Amino acid sequence: ALTSSVEPGTRSLKSGCWGADVCELQGLLLVHGYEVNRSRVFDEATEEAVRDFQERSRLQINGIVDATTWTFLRGRGLST
């Protein structure tokens, strides 16, 4: 299957993934103030940013962008 045509948010992303959805993830991380390149490749810098975002959002810190992490990145997290 071609991973580069996957709709953002429809699969979990982790280190080693690549494609348009990774580029979308990196764009959201940039919006949240993280310095990552929009390389379309889930690299070490992207994973570090995801882990930090998960910690700040009080999510499970695993470096994997699952449905919950996508929701929080898009600003639709739980109200505090």
Side-chain angles (χ1 to χ4, degrees):
L2 254 171
T3 55
S4 62
S5 62
V6 175
E7 184 71 25
T10 59
R11 69 173 174 152
S12 293
L13 298 177
K14 60 184 178 183
S15 184
C17 289
W18 62 273
D21 50 352
V22 176
C23 189
E24 171 77 10
L25 163 65
Q26 291 165 331
L28 288 168
L29 289 169
L30 285 167
V31 168
H32 285 279
Y34 294 96
E35 293 185 23
V36 295
N37 292 321
R38 291 189 80 175
S39 63
R40 300 171 66 98
V41 177
F42 197 123
D43 56 13
E44 188 176 327
T46 303
E47 183 174 358
E48 287 177 16
V50 168
R51 287 180 177 274
D52 186 73
F53 178 82
Q54 288 171 328
E55 183 177 7
R56 289 177 184 217
S57 301
R58 297 182 178 169
L59 302 173
Q60 180 182 357
I61 305 165
N62 57 11
I64 298 171
V65 182
D66 57 12
T68 302
T69 304
W70 274 115
T71 299
F72 274 74
L73 280 164
R74 290 181 172 135
R76 300 184 197 123
L78 300 173
S79 299
T80 54

